[in-house]
Amino acid sequence: KPHELGSFDATNDVTQVNTQPSAGLSAMNGRWLSTIAVDPLDPNRVAVAYAGYGGDNSAVQSFIFLTETGNTTPTFAPITGAPANEPIYTVKFVVDPSSGESVLLAGTESGLYTITDLNSLGPIYTSTWTNEFGADFGKVPVYDIDVRLYKSSIFDEDTQDFTLVRDNTVFVATHGRGIWSTSNLVYPRKSNPETPELIEQLAVNLYPNPN
């Protein structure tokens, strides 16, 4: 639980993950582990992905794997359903405020995908992959995904006091098409609050300023 920094002990809280095929990860010859993502709602759920074009793509079951036992003895299973077997450069979990569930985002060689409806069928996961860029945007590699958890909001111009409001904006970095963002997954909040009490339930107060 590296997010609990106050009680984190690297001696006891860090466990080496077995990345041998016995843990469920294929021998991805000619490819490399490109990214790791931990579900913020369940630290046991860990996704790993591979990039690279080495070897025979048709022989690769999947470029992304998932485990539900990341804190104990992880056993990874491939996530299938991708429209193409292609390198995956980045994956990230983001919480959908409307459903309260985590959504898995994947940046691949051809675009940005959301992976939902993960259903385990024995040694594999089947899922629905949705292309978030669509035909108008075209196929473009996505190299990085970042989720801005908080956004500062000044509520006193004289003292410059501020709160950190829960945000959840998703930023996507592409190859050759710039950086894009979406606010579809942001947390609802009051517009133009006159006092900090209006956003107290959705904010973290930091004081004094500077802190």
Side-chain angles (χ1 to χ4, degrees):
K1 299 179 180 180
H3 57 283
E4 296 179 2
L5 298 180
S7 59
F8 185 75
D9 183 353
T11 303
N12 299 319
D13 297 337
V14 175
T15 303
Q16 181 178 356
V17 176
N18 180 9
T19 57
Q20 300 302 314
S22 60
L25 296 177
S26 301
M28 303 287 279
N29 295 329
R31 298 171 181 84
W32 62 89
L33 183 64
S34 58
T35 185
I36 301 173
V38 179
D39 188 340
L41 298 182
D42 184 1
N44 276 300
R45 173 174 273 196
V46 180
V48 300
Y50 289 84
Y53 279 103
D56 181 7
N57 273 9
S58 63
V60 178
Q61 191 171 18
S62 177
F63 277 73
I64 183 171
F65 293 78
L66 185 72
T67 181
E68 306 280 356
T69 57
N71 273 347
T72 54
T73 304
T75 299
F76 291 88
I79 301 175
T80 63
N85 244 10
E86 60 187 24
I88 297 177
Y89 301 114
T90 180
V91 292
K92 180 78 74 172
F93 286 98
V94 60
V95 178
D96 183 355
S98 63
S99 65
E101 299 178 353
S102 290
V103 177
L104 183 57
L105 304 175
T108 75
E109 178 70 12
S110 64
L112 175 68
Y113 293 86
T114 51
I115 305 173
T116 57
D117 303 325
L118 285 167
N119 298 302
S120 178
L121 293 177
I124 66 172
Y125 287 93
T126 59
S127 61
T128 300
W129 293 58
T130 302
N131 185 352
E132 296 298 333
F133 282 166
D136 293 339
F137 195 94
K139 293 185 177 181
V140 58
V142 172
Y143 285 158
D144 200 9
I145 301 170
D146 187 61
V147 181
R148 183 173 63 189
L149 298 180
Y150 297 95
K151 182 179 180 181
S152 63
S153 177
I154 295 176
F155 61 83
D156 191 324
E157 293 292 343
D158 294 332
T159 63
Q160 292 292 294
D161 288 336
F162 67 95
T163 57
L164 287 182
V165 182
R166 294 174 68 186
D167 182 44
N168 221 38
T169 300
V170 177
F171 296 89
V172 178
T174 70
H175 178 73
R177 292 296 298 275
I179 298 176
W180 299 77
S181 68
T182 177
S183 57
N184 288 351
L185 296 176
V186 299
Y187 285 92
R189 51 182 178 265
K190 300 288 185 179
S191 59
N192 299 322
E194 296 181 359
T195 64
E197 287 77 16
L198 292 176
I199 54 174
E200 182 178 358
Q201 292 183 342
L202 296 176
V204 175
N205 292 318
L206 294 181
Y207 57 88
N209 186 19
N211 56 46

